[in-house]
Each structure stands twice: as C-alpha cells, then as structure tokens.
Amino acid sequence: MRWALVKVSLAVTAMVVIAFAVPLGLVVKEMARDRAFSNAERRAAGLAPVLAITTDRQELDKAVATTEDGAAGRLAVHVPAAEPGGTAVEIGTRRATEESLDATRTLGRASIAEVPGGFALLQPTAVSSGQVAVVELFVPESEVTNGVATAWLVLAGVGIALIVGSVAVADRLGVRMVRPAQRLAGAAHDLGEGRLGARVPEEGPPELKSAAVAFNSMADQVVQLLANERELAADLSHRLRTPLTVLRLNAASLGSGPAAEQTRAAVEQLEREVDIIIRTARDAKPQTQATGPGAGCDAAEVVRERMDFWSALAEDEGRRVRVAGVERPVRIPVARPELVAALDALLGNVFRHTAEGTAFSIDVHNGDDAVIVLVSDAGTGIADPAAALARGNSGGRPGSTGLGLDIVRRMAEATGGDVAIGHSVLGGTEVRVWIGLDGRRAGTTAGRRGHRPARRRRGGGTGTRRAADA
C-alpha cells in the first residue's frame, strides 16, 4: 500500500508538472523571441530619419557606422534606384534574399526572414525619392534564445522539487496507513499462533481504526468462547464422577478373576482420565507437551505397561503379539497420560476393527531427533485412508466416535511430529507415529502443519486408513 501511494503520487505530480511546465516553457521561448525582434525593430527604426532626409551613400555610411549594430556588421541598408536605369544603394552585408526584400517592400511592414546563423529583420522605410528602402538588421540565434535555457532549467528544478515533495508526503501518509495495517496483520498472526492476549492499538485512519476495534472485539470473544468451552468441558467431566463412583463400587463386588481385575483397572483408568480432563479444562494448560528438564515419560515403559493390559484380551482372542524396541528407556517430551491415551486408541482400533486371531505388533524406534512408534496388524486394511484421520469420522461403525486417531495426531503434532498410515509388512495397516524430540519445535508446528501423505515402507504401497475410534 505504501509503495502504491508513492507511485500514484509520482504519476499524478509528474503529469501536473508536465501539463504546466511544458506550455510555460514554450511561452518563455516565445517571449524571448518577441523581445529580441522588438528590440531589433526599435534599433532598425533609428535609421528612418536619416533615410527620410538623404539617400547619399557617404551620409548613409556614416549613419550606419555610428550605430552599434552597424559597427558589428549586423546592419545593412537597401535603397532602390530613384528612377529606371539608376543605381541602387547597398550599404553593409546583405543576408536576406532579393525575394524577401521585394516582399517586404510590397507588404509595407516589417518582416522576419530566416538566414544562416539567425534571423534577418527587414524594416521598410520611405525615402525622399518616394521609393521604399529596406533596413536589414541581423539577429543571431543566441539573442533570440537568450534566457530560454535558464528559464527551462528553473522550471525543471521546480518540477523536480514538486515531485520529490509529493513523493515524500505520500510516503509519510503511506507509513501512517501501513503501520496500523502491519500491526493488525501481526496481531492476527499472533492470535493464530495461540497467543490470545494479542491486541491492536485502536489508532490510524478511520477504516483501519474500525478494523482494529473489530479485531480486538473478535479476540475478546474468542477468549470468552474458549473459557466457556473449558468450563463446559470441566462441568461435563465432573458430572461423570457420580456414575464412575457407582461403577467402581460395583466393580469392587465382582470378586477375583482376570475379568474382574480388568474391569476394576478400566474403571480406575477412566477416573484418572476424567480427573485429567477436569484439571486441563480448569487450568487451560495443554497436556500433550511436557515442559521442564526431565519432563515427559519413558515410551518403552508405557508400551510395556499397555501391552501387559491388552495381552490378556489378545490371548483370549487368539492373537499373536510382537513387541520390539522397548528393551531400553526411550524418553519423549509427552506426558504419560497422553501417550497412554494414544496407545490405547491405536490398540483399541486393532481389536475393534480386525477379526479375532489377527496378529499385530508394536515397534519403537529411537532416533536422534525423533521417536517412531509403529502399530501394525495383519487385517484387511482401511477402505478410505483420507477420511480416517479426519476428526469425528467414525466410518459408520457402531460405538465409534472417530476421535481416536485425532488424539494420536494431536499428541504427535504437539512435539513437531505427525502421523501417517501405510501398508504393513504383516499385510494389513501400519500406523506410523512420529514424536519429535526437539522441544523447541513443540507447540509451534501443531495445528499449522498439514497431514503428511501416507508413506511407503520397504517397497510396500501406500496403505489405506482405518476409521478412528474415540
């Protein structure tokens, strides 16, 4: 916008300067020409009294020699013969042609003839014999254009000064308009990055001031909406406490056995998840990224723990299970509850959407800048991989909300990683979760990076995607 104003101002001012300076320069040139010929005509008229008295050559030579123009060789007198057969009188150097002299005698008034080096002013004058003599005064080109170049330089200087001044004023006005716009854009960027305290000074031109007021009002409404959402989530989660208490009491009366122990463990885990949701909503602090030295969890330990939980169900359904890469500690910048929720979502999808007896595996690869968790199965794959990662897409499966893979994706993106789905070596689906280890990237990439396309692995084709479960 700033440079656009400068360009418009430059164009308009240049057109105005040209529109006025060019005609004014031509007027100055014409005025200088008229002044030069007026002076020449006045000097030529000084010989009229002498010609009216005498046409004697000697007297005319003396009169011409006494003038400044005559001494400079620029004055000539042409007196025709008094009677047919007589001798005409020619004094000085003639520059005009005979045709020009005859035309001047015929017209009876002064005329100008162009000659080499300048112009010749031809002034007719009546002599005592009744004939018409012509006084010729040479006017050099330099005298005709005297002062024109200086006037044009002055006009050019004034025009340049006007253009520079106009551009400077337009630039200042542009700065006054652009700075509020830049502040508005910066605040919008900050708000998009999650800095909800971003506000814009309500100043500048009326239009931008109105935009700043609207932006600040929008930001306040966003903050209020998020606060209301957190309160609603906390309230809804708190309402689950009562039925959870009933479930816990009922689970306590189930006695002993693997099924009873699993039920009690599931109720305890559900209570912990509800507590986390309430604390997260109340404190408005993200749980996907651990902060501080030593924060996060041991991914290998969490994988072993969750596989101990799911192995009983896998044994009942006749599923072969393989776990690799969990022999040594693998630290990741993810809170333990978040990793537990992500693993349970992935493993729950395997049990829910593959037939009994289908084998699956979990592989943990620890790299320099990322940890990769692979959950593979030997099922039939996913019908619509593009829709599987879409939030809330359950694929029409009963009991599924379509939020499971979204939980996994948000956990990975909070660390600068991502999620992709491909074809596993077992023949089914492979969900590959990248967890970034560079804490500086966490929080800046999440929510802004698009989903990576499904990748090939060991020559396998791009897999399809399983519908996500809550």
Side-chain angles (χ1 to χ4, degrees):
M1 181 184 296
R2 178 179 177 183
W3 292 114
L5 288 175
V6 170
K7 291 177 182 178
V8 170
S9 176
L10 177 62
V12 172
T13 308
M15 287 189 293
V16 171
V17 168
I18 292 173
F20 283 92
V22 171
L24 189 57
L26 296 177
V27 169
V28 169
K29 182 179 180 181
E30 191 65 26
M31 289 177 61
R33 177 187 177 92
D34 292 342
R35 182 177 63 250
F37 289 126
S38 296
N39 292 334
E41 188 173 354
R42 178 180 51 80
R43 297 196 303 270
L47 288 178
V50 177
L51 291 171
I53 297 174
T54 181
T55 58
D56 183 67
R57 175 180 291 274
Q58 292 182 355
E59 295 296 332
L60 292 177
D61 282 336
K62 291 179 181 180
V64 170
T66 56
T67 62
E68 181 180 353
D69 294 315
R74 296 188 301 180
L75 184 62
V77 179
H78 310 283
V79 182
E83 50 186 44
T87 302
V89 178
E90 293 278 346
I91 299 174
T93 303
R94 187 176 73 175
R95 293 179 174 84
T97 62
E98 189 65 34
E99 291 79 6
S100 299
L101 296 175
D102 292 339
T104 301
R105 293 189 184 97
T106 303
L107 291 174
R109 55 185 176 83
S111 62
I112 299 172
E114 189 172 355
V115 297
F119 301 88
L121 175 67
L122 304 177
Q123 177 69 46
T125 303
V127 296
S128 57
S129 62
Q131 300 292 328
V132 177
V134 178
V135 179
E136 177 186 344
L137 182 64
F138 174 68
V139 182
E141 180 71 27
S142 59
E143 187 174 336
V144 174
T145 59
N146 184 29
V148 174
T150 302
W152 282 12
L153 288 176
V154 172
L155 289 175
V158 172
I160 293 175
L162 289 175
I163 292 175
V164 171
S166 175
V167 169
V169 172
D171 182 68
R172 291 299 92 196
L173 291 176
V175 169
R176 183 172 176 268
M177 295 179 62
V178 168
R179 283 180 179 172
Q182 290 176 339
R183 287 195 293 266
L184 182 61
H189 179 75
D190 292 340
L191 188 64
E193 292 290 336
R195 292 184 281 274
L196 302 181
R199 296 297 184 273
V200 182
E202 298 175 359
E203 58 187 18
E207 295 79 5
L208 291 177
K209 186 175 180 180
S210 300
V213 172
F215 175 84
N216 292 337
S217 176
M218 178 195 67
D220 293 337
Q221 292 181 8
V222 169
V223 172
Q224 185 61 39
L225 289 174
L226 291 177
N228 295 339
E229 183 181 357
R230 290 194 299 269
E231 291 298 326
L232 179 61
D235 293 341
L236 293 177
S237 302
H238 194 271
R239 294 180 184 180
L240 296 176
R241 288 287 183 86
T242 300
L244 281 175
T245 302
V246 175
L247 288 175
R248 181 165 52 82
L249 293 176
N250 292 337
S253 63
L254 292 178
S256 60
E261 293 298 331
Q262 289 183 4
T263 302
R264 283 190 284 269
V267 172
E268 291 177 359
Q269 181 184 357
L270 185 58
E271 286 182 328
R272 289 195 300 269
E273 294 294 339
V274 170
D275 290 339
I276 292 173
I277 293 175
I278 294 175
R279 288 196 300 270
T280 302
R282 294 295 187 189
D283 299 338
K285 295 180 179 179
Q287 297 295 319
T288 55
Q289 179 188 351
T291 58
C297 67
D298 182 358
E301 179 184 356
V302 174
V303 170
R304 291 195 301 268
E305 175 188 317
R306 299 320 298 159
M307 287 306 301
D308 289 340
F309 175 81
W310 289 97
S311 60
L313 181 59
E315 183 178 354
D316 291 342
E317 294 186 357
R319 298 176 182 266
R320 290 186 295 107
V321 181
R322 182 179 65 85
V323 181
V326 297
E327 298 80 11
R328 298 180 181 180
V330 180
R331 299 294 303 182
I332 60 173
V334 176
R336 182 186 186 90
E338 296 301 320
L339 182 59
V340 170
L343 289 174
D344 286 346
L346 294 175
L347 295 174
N349 281 344
V350 173
F351 282 91
R352 185 173 292 106
H353 303 304
T354 61
E356 294 186 6
T358 301
F360 68 94
S361 65
I362 297 182
D363 298 271
V364 179
H365 301 276
N366 188 8
D368 295 334
D369 59 352
V371 171
I372 300 177
V373 179
L374 303 176
V375 178
S376 308
D377 62 60
T380 58
I382 303 173
D384 190 354
L389 277 178
R391 180 177 176 83
N393 182 21
S394 64
R397 300 175 184 269
S400 174
T401 62
L403 300 179
L405 284 179
D406 187 69
I407 293 174
V408 179
R409 178 181 56 80
R410 286 189 287 109
M411 177 208 69
E413 288 183 347
T415 65
D418 207 343
V419 178
I421 296 180
H423 189 75
S424 73
V425 295
L426 299 178
T429 301
E430 174 189 270
V431 180
R432 181 178 302 184
V433 183
W434 285 269
I435 300 175
L437 298 181
D438 187 356
R440 292 172 297 178
R441 295 176 56 193
T444 60
T445 309
R448 293 188 293 111
R449 295 178 51 183
H451 294 304
R452 295 179 184 174
R455 298 189 177 184
R456 297 180 180 270
R457 183 174 181 265
R458 298 186 183 94
T462 301
T464 55
R465 197 166 193 167
R466 177 178 292 109
D469 177 61

